[in-house]
Amino acid sequence: MTQLELAKNNKITPLIKKVSEAENISAKKLIKDIATGRVVIPKNVRHNISRPCGVGSGLKTKINANIGTSTDKGNLKDELKKLSAAIKYGADAVMDLSVGGDLKKIRQEVLKRSPVPVGTVPVYEIAVNAKRQRNNPLKFDARDMLHCLESQAEEGVDFFTIHSGVTQKNICALKTSKRILNIVSRGAAILASWMNYHKEENPFFEYFDQILKIAYRYDITLSLGDGLRPGSVLDATDKAQISELKTLGALAQRARKKNVQVMIEGPGHVPLNQIEENIALEKKYCNNAPFYVLGPLVTDIAAGYDHISSAIGGALAASFGADFLCYVTPSEHLRHPSEDDVREGVIASRIAAHAADIVKNPKAALKWDKAMSLARRSKDWKRQIELSVDPEKAKNYRASSKPRQDDVCTMCGEYCSIKLTEKCMRE
Amino acid sequence: MTQLELAKNNKITPLIKKVSEAENISAKKLIKDIATGRVVIPKNVRHNISRPCGVGSGLKTKINANIGTSTDKGNLKDELKKLSAAIKYGADAVMDLSVGGDLKKIRQEVLKRSPVPVGTVPVYEIAVNAKRQRNNPLKFDARDMLHCLESQAEEGVDFFTIHSGVTQKNICALKTSKRILNIVSRGAAILASWMNYHKEENPFFEYFDQILKIAYRYDITLSLGDGLRPGSVLDATDKAQISELKTLGALAQRARKKNVQVMIEGPGHVPLNQIEENIALEKKYCNNAPFYVLGPLVTDIAAGYDHISSAIGGALAASFGADFLCYVTPSEHLRHPSEDDVREGVIASRIAAHAADIVKNPKAALKWDKAMSLARRSKDWKRQIELSVDPEKAKNYRASSKPRQDDVCTMCGEYCSIKLTEKCMRE
């Protein structure tokens, strides 16, 4: 039985207990939210993970870090370094998006070493195999697809992004949407190309029931990909995007009926003032399924700093109810990310997630800010550094610039406001 | 006559013409907004600046970069490098906050070289002089204060931050507010200490009329400092902050009556869901005076990355109507900023400002995003780099990671979604 099925039957499993303790909520509340589909716990029955994570309403905002080789860059060793960095800096989940090198080997190593849930986009492996075996990434059929899903499931992948919403109907909506950038999802681009090449319906849509059977057997969480997400703020919240979202909502209902956990992926590039609406639409059309957003980037012009554009959008999205933030690194739109890019992406997402948690659950979240502010008040630098989102960087910054009086910092020196105020507020 | 007085008399000056052209609005509309105090143009009559900037409603969101020595760090050469970096990366104004070294010399060099308006916090120089001459930074009187303002005015400073709202009454409100961090403004900490030491009212409040006279003669814009801004998200929007804001609103009215341009400074550390309210309160209590916000930081825990915490808050604040964003660098709370910190701070603020301008004035702001998205569609990498917020960084990123096919990047390589989609969308 899947966690969803167990929750429907009111069973509190060890996994539920662990997650409820980590979140400091009651197991009873947690299974209620799992039973209604508002929360998922991505964990393949065959995968041991020491830091399982719940995703959904009432829980802390979670963050995901994408790693994986491209056809141009990356090898197993580099990707494992990036995995370590992602974990070290606080990712709650990782996705292995490899399309270069020995995909199976890389995935297995990531699965073996990751203490957090691991997701994949199986259509990548399907296309890469087709290219390698038949010299055309589009030369695959539904059997190849199901075979790949089954084999990744058996290896222990915890969640699959599948682009089942990229249907003929939604591609029609896209064609009339007059976008600047039609499709910016790699998976959706492969599938739209496949559909055009074979003149057939998307196999991830056509064979959704068979996919559910595999997901059910391993308790894999399906992450329904937003293949038609906007890739420019000018394309946001258009007919193509909303049409696909409605399809995903209907598919989510089918998944839940078969006791398969499901979450929904969301945009993308969205202007600040459309973010609240985007969250509300997802919650409405997808019956409050957990919302996993890719950004959103609030402007298209921040190449080199898209982790910042994404932190702005992600913080706002999560404060309005998005549950899971996919990080964006500074290298987005420019290159395959480095280990350092991974660190910067994870930290930016954590800041966004925490800023949102202050809104979602102030009592719990503000403890961290309170501890930091108390450390500032008492000019306890050791504690301030420990409490920083990246203690190593904070330590290096302070060490690089030594004040003459060691209870202040070199910004204000002897004119430290906290130090000056201490005296006059006492009197 | 000041620009405010001229605007009240319906006079279109060369400065008004220049600013209206840069903003692509009519000079007529601009002087109307200056006359009602919704817009200011900080420019001392004695200071030549090639890139004047208007601040206020209906205009692009502006950003300010703080530079200046501390008692521990910085010298003229380093600060001039930081000035250059601030200008290069796009600051619309700078403030020289020096408290170490030859203050007059540093300020004069900054004034001479800056193509944008220069602001100061005169109480710093007043305290530093007192400390140097009388070995106590609090040993100054109203005469010293007015003398310093006059001398900086004569040198050409374009805007003064003065903490006239730190009154006995508002300090009382602070004492009953039970904050974690009482005063985090360096200027306010000096003044509160001065008031406690001398048992007198704040001279910047007491002698406000004399200050207005100096400001009027040189057409200096007063930036009424929020000395009691919250320094922790737990202290946000409290009695002390709002009580000071009301005082600033009343002072702003007095300034306008005397034809002195005025803007209001704002917090600080503010949770995401209190930002809209903070902007609305300022516009209400200060009669729509331009709002100059210091952040706001949406969490206290991001030391080392406070430019990101600030970009989140700044984008949101500006989208709700804040007009001027003071940058925050990654070194905030840890050390005196380096040249690189200045770059990171300016860029993060520019991203926030632009994300907000997409909301405030989409027609104008989206041109940049549209051009970038079109360059992405046509895989025109040269143009994408030119259009990036920091072309140098974008160029370096791309150069560091060369794709095999030169129309894509190493992130997706041959699985580039844009390239894959081109074909299938045509058919």
Side-chain angles (χ1 to χ4, degrees):
Chain A
M1 286 209 280
T2 62
Q3 293 297 330
L4 173 51
E5 201 171 8
L6 290 160
K8 284 181 185 170
N9 289 306
N10 254 311
K11 292 269 192 307
I12 294 175
T13 62
L15 179 63
I16 296 289
K17 263 196 96 182
K18 191 163 184 174
V19 170
S20 67
E21 279 161 15
E23 298 280 349
N24 202 19
I25 58 167
S26 77
K28 240 174 138 174
K29 180 178 177 335
L30 183 58
I31 56 169
K32 207 181 132 195
D33 286 336
I34 292 174
T36 57
R38 298 165 82 100
V39 166
V40 297
I41 303 180
K43 192 197 160 303
N44 186 314
V45 291
R46 298 175 69 103
H47 191 210
N48 289 319
I49 45 182
S50 55
R51 282 166 41 188
C53 97
V55 174
S57 65
L59 309 186
K60 278 185 286 235
T61 304
K62 302 302 187 302
I63 65 163
N64 173 75
N66 290 336
I67 58 169
T69 57
S70 83
T71 52
D72 279 317
K73 287 274 164 184
N75 53 47
L76 177 57
K77 216 175 112 190
D78 289 345
E79 296 313 309
L80 291 179
K81 272 192 207 160
K82 281 154 68 174
L83 171 65
S84 298
I87 300 304
K88 174 177 170 185
Y89 292 105
D92 299 294
V94 295
M95 292 190 77
D96 171 18
L97 305 185
S98 293
V99 291
D102 185 341
L103 305 193
K104 200 179 180 77
K105 170 90 177 145
I106 296 168
R107 190 168 54 242
Q108 286 174 341
E109 289 295 325
V110 169
L111 281 163
K112 203 169 75 187
R113 287 156 203 256
S114 175
V116 299
V118 175
T120 61
V121 184
V123 75
Y124 294 173
E125 185 172 31
I126 299 166
V128 168
N129 284 346
K131 166 91 182 178
R132 288 179 184 172
Q133 290 159 19
R134 297 179 278 275
N135 202 30
N136 182 340
L138 306 179
K139 283 203 172 163
F140 64 84
D141 60 19
R143 225 177 31 189
D144 298 320
M145 173 193 80
L146 294 170
H147 176 77
C148 174
L149 291 173
E150 180 75 40
S151 111
Q152 289 198 12
E154 216 177 359
E155 289 169 23
V157 172
D158 301 294
F159 60 106
F160 284 157
T161 290
I162 59 169
H163 299 94
S164 303
V166 182
T167 59
Q168 297 286 9
K169 183 181 138 241
N170 291 331
I171 297 258
C172 279
L174 175 66
K175 284 184 175 166
T176 59
S177 281
K178 300 206 167 127
R179 282 192 173 178
I180 298 182
L181 290 165
N182 284 312
I183 296 182
V184 294
S185 151
R186 193 155 60 165
I190 294 168
L191 284 167
S193 301
W194 186 94
M195 290 156 72
N196 181 56
Y197 180 81
H198 294 278
K199 307 292 171 208
E200 282 177 35
E201 183 54 283
N202 177 352
F204 286 86
F205 179 75
E206 195 98 295
Y207 297 89
F208 192 66
D209 286 328
Q210 277 87 325
I211 295 172
L212 290 179
K213 279 183 192 156
I214 298 170
Y216 175 77
R217 276 209 309 283
Y218 297 88
D219 200 358
I220 289 166
T221 297
L222 293 185
S223 186
L224 300 179
D226 57 333
L228 306 186
R229 66 176 171 270
S232 163
V233 287
L234 290 107
D235 295 336
T237 331
D238 71 353
K239 209 173 63 180
Q241 183 197 325
I242 303 307
S243 174
E244 184 191 37
L245 182 65
K246 289 181 186 170
T247 304
L248 299 184
L251 293 168
Q253 282 300 82
R254 283 170 62 187
R256 284 160 168 175
K257 270 195 198 133
K258 299 288 184 184
N259 294 316
V260 170
Q261 300 191 85
V262 64
M263 54 188 173
I264 308 291
E265 294 182 15
H269 293 235
V270 184
L272 264 180
N273 58 342
Q274 291 177 29
I275 292 176
E276 184 169 13
E277 181 192 357
N278 267 269
I279 310 300
L281 288 173
E282 188 271 347
K283 295 289 174 187
K284 176 179 155 191
Y285 290 131
C286 303
N287 220 325
N288 296 304
F291 198 19
Y292 176 22
V293 291
L294 317 175
L297 304 179
V298 292
T299 169
D300 304 336
I301 56 83
Y305 301 83
D306 270 327
H307 60 311
I308 295 179
S309 174
S310 168
I312 296 171
L316 205 58
S319 79
F320 290 131
D323 307 287
F324 195 21
L325 304 179
C326 187
Y327 85 165
V328 170
T329 78
S331 69
E332 187 78 13
H333 298 109
L334 292 169
R335 72 173 186 199
H336 189 243
S338 68
E339 195 184 335
D340 219 48
D341 291 330
V342 169
R343 175 183 56 80
E344 291 207 58
V346 169
I347 296 282
S349 289
R350 279 185 66 206
I351 293 169
H354 180 69
D357 285 343
I358 288 174
V359 177
K360 283 178 173 175
N361 186 359
K363 213 178 133 190
L366 283 173
K367 282 179 193 165
W368 188 4
D369 300 79
K370 188 174 182 180
M372 175 63 99
S373 295
L374 287 170
R376 285 189 176 138
R377 183 167 74 182
S378 57
K379 304 190 271 7
D380 181 342
W381 289 93
K382 196 168 155 257
R383 186 93 182 110
Q384 287 180 55
I385 286 165
E386 277 166 17
L387 286 165
S388 297
V389 67
D390 176 358
E392 223 170 277
K393 187 177 183 190
K395 195 178 169 181
N396 291 341
Y397 261 52
R398 183 156 169 83
S400 72
S401 189
K402 284 221 180 297
R404 259 171 257 165
Q405 303 176 355
D406 66 5
D407 58 346
V408 301
C409 85
T410 55
M411 179 73 208
C412 298
E414 60 193 85
Y415 293 100
C416 171
S417 61
I418 289 172
K419 201 168 166 178
L420 281 171
T421 310
E422 259 171 9
K423 196 168 168 272
C424 75
M425 289 299 287
R426 256 202 318 267
E427 282 165 14
Chain B
M1 285 207 282
T2 62
Q3 294 297 328
L4 173 51
E5 201 169 10
L6 291 160
K8 284 181 184 170
N9 289 308
N10 255 312
K11 292 270 192 305
I12 294 176
T13 63
L15 179 63
I16 296 289
K17 261 196 98 182
K18 191 162 184 177
V19 170
S20 67
E21 278 162 16
E23 298 280 349
N24 202 19
I25 58 168
S26 77
K28 240 176 140 172
K29 180 178 177 337
L30 183 58
I31 54 166
K32 207 181 133 197
D33 287 335
I34 292 174
T36 58
R38 299 166 80 101
V39 166
V40 296
I41 303 179
K43 193 197 160 302
N44 186 313
V45 289
R46 298 174 70 101
H47 192 209
N48 288 319
I49 47 184
S50 56
R51 282 164 43 189
C53 98
V55 174
S57 65
L59 308 186
K60 278 186 285 235
T61 305
K62 302 303 187 303
I63 65 163
N64 172 75
N66 291 335
I67 58 170
T69 56
S70 82
T71 52
D72 279 318
K73 289 270 163 186
N75 53 48
L76 176 59
K77 217 176 114 192
D78 289 346
E79 295 313 310
L80 292 179
K81 272 192 204 160
K82 281 153 70 175
L83 170 65
S84 298
I87 301 304
K88 174 177 170 185
Y89 292 105
D92 300 294
V94 295
M95 290 189 79
D96 172 17
L97 305 186
S98 293
V99 289
D102 185 342
L103 305 193
K104 200 178 179 81
K105 169 92 177 146
I106 296 168
R107 190 168 53 242
Q108 286 176 340
E109 288 296 324
V110 170
L111 280 163
K112 202 169 76 186
R113 286 155 203 255
S114 175
V116 300
V118 175
T120 60
V121 183
V123 76
Y124 295 172
E125 186 172 32
I126 299 167
V128 169
N129 284 345
K131 165 94 181 172
R132 289 180 184 170
Q133 290 159 17
R134 297 179 278 274
N135 202 30
N136 182 341
L138 307 179
K139 284 202 173 165
F140 62 84
D141 59 20
R143 224 176 32 188
D144 298 320
M145 173 192 82
L146 293 170
H147 176 77
C148 174
L149 291 173
E150 180 76 42
S151 112
Q152 290 198 13
E154 215 177 1
E155 289 169 23
V157 172
D158 301 295
F159 60 107
F160 283 157
T161 290
I162 59 169
H163 299 93
S164 303
V166 182
T167 58
Q168 296 286 9
K169 182 181 139 240
N170 292 331
I171 297 258
C172 278
L174 176 66
K175 283 185 174 167
T176 59
S177 279
K178 298 206 165 124
R179 282 191 172 179
I180 298 183
L181 289 165
N182 284 312
I183 296 182
V184 295
S185 151
R186 192 156 58 166
I190 293 169
L191 284 168
S193 301
W194 186 94
M195 290 156 71
N196 181 57
Y197 180 81
H198 295 277
K199 307 293 172 208
E200 282 179 33
E201 183 55 284
N202 177 352
F204 285 87
F205 179 75
E206 195 98 293
Y207 297 89
F208 193 66
D209 285 328
Q210 278 86 326
I211 295 172
L212 290 178
K213 279 183 193 158
I214 298 171
Y216 174 78
R217 277 209 309 282
Y218 297 88
D219 201 357
I220 289 166
T221 296
L222 294 185
S223 186
L224 300 180
D226 57 333
L228 305 186
R229 66 177 172 272
S232 163
V233 287
L234 289 107
D235 295 335
T237 331
D238 68 355
K239 209 172 63 179
Q241 183 196 324
I242 302 307
S243 173
E244 183 190 36
L245 182 64
K246 289 181 186 169
T247 304
L248 300 183
L251 293 168
Q253 282 300 82
R254 283 169 62 187
R256 286 161 169 173
K257 271 193 201 134
K258 300 288 184 183
N259 293 316
V260 170
Q261 301 189 86
V262 65
M263 56 187 171
I264 308 291
E265 294 183 14
H269 292 234
V270 185
L272 265 180
N273 59 341
Q274 292 177 28
I275 292 176
E276 186 170 12
E277 182 193 357
N278 267 270
I279 310 302
L281 287 174
E282 188 272 347
K283 296 288 176 187
K284 178 179 152 193
Y285 290 131
C286 305
N287 221 325
N288 296 304
F291 199 19
Y292 175 23
V293 291
L294 317 176
L297 304 179
V298 292
T299 168
D300 305 334
I301 56 81
Y305 300 84
D306 270 329
H307 60 312
I308 295 178
S309 175
S310 166
I312 296 171
L316 206 58
S319 80
F320 290 131
D323 307 286
F324 195 20
L325 303 179
C326 186
Y327 86 164
V328 169
T329 77
S331 70
E332 186 77 14
H333 297 109
L334 292 168
R335 73 173 185 199
H336 189 243
S338 68
E339 193 183 339
D340 219 46
D341 291 330
V342 169
R343 175 184 56 79
E344 291 207 59
V346 169
I347 297 281
S349 290
R350 280 184 66 206
I351 293 168
H354 181 69
D357 285 342
I358 289 174
V359 176
K360 283 179 172 174
N361 186 359
K363 213 178 133 190
L366 284 171
K367 282 180 192 164
W368 189 3
D369 300 79
K370 188 173 182 180
M372 175 63 99
S373 296
L374 287 170
R376 285 189 175 138
R377 182 167 77 182
S378 57
K379 304 192 275 354
D380 181 342
W381 288 94
K382 195 169 154 255
R383 186 95 182 109
Q384 286 179 58
I385 286 166
E386 277 166 16
L387 287 165
S388 297
V389 67
D390 175 0
E392 223 171 277
K393 186 176 184 190
K395 195 176 170 185
N396 291 342
Y397 260 51
R398 185 159 167 80
S400 71
S401 187
K402 284 222 179 299
R404 259 171 255 165
Q405 302 175 358
D406 67 5
D407 57 347
V408 300
C409 85
T410 56
M411 178 76 208
C412 298
E414 60 193 82
Y415 293 100
C416 171
S417 61
I418 289 172
K419 200 168 168 180
L420 281 170
T421 311
E422 259 170 10
K423 197 167 169 274
C424 77
M425 290 298 289
R426 259 202 315 268
E427 281 166 14

